[in-house]
Amino acid sequence: MKQPQTQNTADQNAPPSEQEDNKNNEPAAKYSVSGGFVNFLNQQNISIAVSSYQSGRLYLLGRNPKGGLMVNEQYFQKAMGLHYHKQTLYMATLANIYEMQNILRSNEVMDNQFTDCFMPRKAHLTGALDTHDVGVTKSGDIVFVNTRYNCISSVSDVHSFKPIWKPNFISGIVPEDRCHLNGMAMENGEPRYVTAVSKSDTIDGWRDRRASGGIVMDVQKNEIICKGLSMPHSPRVYDGKIWVLNSGTGELGTIEAPKKKGAMGTFKPLCFCPGFVRGLAFHGKYAFVGLSKPRYERFEGLALDDRLKESDSEAWCGVQVIDLTTGTCVQWFRIDGSIGELYDLEIIPDTTCPKSYGFLKNDVYGIITIEDHDLT
């Protein structure tokens, strides 16, 4: 299957015409990878989706037919939380949550190179809620972290959202970012754990608690299970463990259950990454961690500053692949230039060279596919 030719994809060796096509919409960026990164994607048979609210881009990292890196970019205003479920990529943006369907069948290729193509088929207009993480329940409902209203919400056919859970210390559903609820871990098709920068119940109260006010909460029990963290993000349940990124210290780690009844769980670091860590996914024995350069006017004074000085390192933007058995970085993808902040990442299994379509260009209107049918 060959579709109309497109030129909104940034190959590792993209020609000037493609680079110039994006220059008015995205800060200049330069990509680099570790020597074995592309081969690693091939061995694992995966691609990686990465979102950046700063550049307003969804990046799909795959392998081109010549065996090199392919970075497909599409513009989505304030691209945030990502979730992959049953051939569908869900993505939160400034005021919408998109359902992006893979329109290519297993035997189809687009433009002689793309093996998968994600098209936004449904858009749920939520309004500007500062939506962060997003997930899908076992019943197929979209749920998301509604940061502006300090709650977990589901999409509504009529209204902007339906609140389904709030922390017990939040006194009401009001448009005030009080605790900066941000991360959500799904377990068995339901929200299970969340992260917040603090347990403040006043507007913007979390900003005064960035260094050590962070918490992890059990949604089902509506209770705090770990505290004393620094701007935690991206809780995930994997291999029977609760994983979290302690962003203010640059650490990936797990939450260990308390040894005494009624005590708090503790954060056990696995490794340090040189950046403000945010965005976490797993595949096999590997963790994929997103790194950002801190906005120092807001994030100054965090322990991350000292950790970077101690290691004689600069914060960088990109993705690190961590071996869970050793806690070491085995592969990496890096973005240099004026793009410094990512939000989320997701693994897309069984893909080689994916791309997506946005709404910035009119060529999206020319992509027509037909569902299987029988008119005989």
Side-chain angles (χ1 to χ4, degrees), residues 73-146:
E73 309 168 7
Q74 292 298 340
Y75 176 79
F76 293 92
Q77 192 172 12
K78 197 180 179 182
M80 291 287 286
L82 298 169
H83 182 74
Y84 183 75
H85 180 70
K86 294 183 177 179
Q87 291 289 302
T88 302
L89 182 63
Y90 297 81
M91 180 173 61
T93 63
L94 175 67
N96 294 277
I97 295 177
Y98 291 107
E99 295 185 39
M100 306 182 69
Q101 303 289 344
N102 185 1
I103 64 173
L104 295 186
R105 299 170 178 88
S106 59
N107 63 335
E108 296 175 332
V109 176
M110 177 181 286
D111 296 343
N112 298 318
Q113 58 184 336
F114 298 107
T115 59
D116 302 83
C117 180
F118 292 92
M119 183 75 71
R121 291 302 191 197
K122 294 182 181 179
H124 303 272
L125 179 61
T126 62
L129 303 178
D130 196 17
T131 299
H132 278 57
D133 283 10
V134 63
V136 178
T137 68
K138 56 187 176 184
S139 59
D141 296 325
I142 298 175
V143 291
F144 59 94
V145 177
N146 186 339

Side-chain angles (χ1 to χ4, degrees), residues 166-187:
K166 71 175 181 64
N168 52 16
F169 54 80
I170 294 294
S171 55
I173 304 298
V174 294
E176 299 177 355
D177 180 2
R178 297 178 173 183
C179 63
H180 203 65
L181 192 72
N182 55 49
M184 178 177 65
M186 303 291 291
E187 184 180 41

Side-chain angles (χ1 to χ4, degrees), residues 149-341:
Y149 284 81
N150 310 283
C151 64
I152 294 178
S153 301
S154 63
V155 298
S156 170
D157 291 333
V158 178
H159 303 286
S160 298
F161 66 93
K162 177 183 178 180
I164 60 174
W165 178 88
K166 71 175 181 64
N168 52 16
F169 54 80
I170 294 294
S171 55
I173 304 298
V174 294
E176 299 177 355
D177 180 2
R178 297 178 173 183
C179 63
H180 203 65
L181 192 72
N182 55 49
M184 178 177 65
M186 303 291 291
E187 184 180 41
N188 300 322
E190 298 295 340
R192 182 59 198 274
Y193 301 102
V194 295
T195 49
V197 176
S198 77
K199 55 185 183 67
S200 304
D201 193 30
T202 58
I203 185 170
D204 221 29
W206 62 274
R207 294 191 189 277
D208 299 321
R209 301 289 184 268
R210 296 167 300 155
S212 60
I215 59 172
V216 177
M217 291 194 70
D218 186 320
V219 172
Q220 295 179 6
K221 298 178 180 179
N222 205 343
E223 64 182 24
I224 298 173
I225 62 170
C226 184
K227 59 183 180 179
L229 301 173
S230 179
M231 301 192 73
H233 283 79
S234 309
R236 305 287 185 259
V237 177
Y238 185 73
D239 195 26
K241 299 178 181 179
I242 307 170
W243 295 84
V244 69
L245 296 176
N246 201 25
S247 305
T249 65
E251 294 172 317
L252 163 68
T254 57
I255 304 299
E256 290 195 336
K259 297 181 180 180
K260 296 182 179 180
K261 186 177 180 179
M264 284 285 110
T266 56
F267 175 72
K268 182 180 180 181
L270 173 68
C271 64
F272 169 72
C273 301
F276 188 85
V277 286
R278 182 174 49 194
L280 176 63
F282 295 89
H283 182 79
K285 68 171 186 175
Y286 301 102
F288 297 74
V289 181
L291 289 82
S292 296
K293 296 179 181 179
R295 287 169 286 164
Y296 285 103
E297 66 273 13
R298 289 190 176 184
F299 298 158
E300 61 185 2
L302 299 179
L304 176 59
D305 289 340
D306 294 332
R307 292 296 300 270
L308 290 169
K309 291 178 182 177
E310 291 171 3
S311 59
D312 194 23
S313 302
E314 297 291 334
W316 56 277
C317 176
V319 177
Q320 288 196 348
V321 183
I322 306 298
D323 187 326
L324 296 176
T325 60
T326 62
T328 58
C329 175
V330 293
Q331 302 294 340
W332 51 265
F333 166 81
R334 179 165 175 165
I335 304 177
D336 289 300
S338 53
I339 298 176
E341 297 182 48

Side-chain angles (χ1 to χ4, degrees), residues 9-46:
T9 299
D11 197 307
Q12 190 177 24
N13 299 307
S17 61
E18 294 182 18
Q19 296 171 1
E20 292 171 0
D21 203 32
N22 288 325
K23 69 181 180 180
N24 294 325
N25 303 302
E26 179 185 343
K30 178 182 178 181
Y31 308 121
S32 57
V33 296
S34 55
F37 183 80
V38 177
N39 187 50
F40 174 81
L41 295 181
N42 183 58
Q43 291 175 344
Q44 300 298 314
N45 193 26
I46 60 171

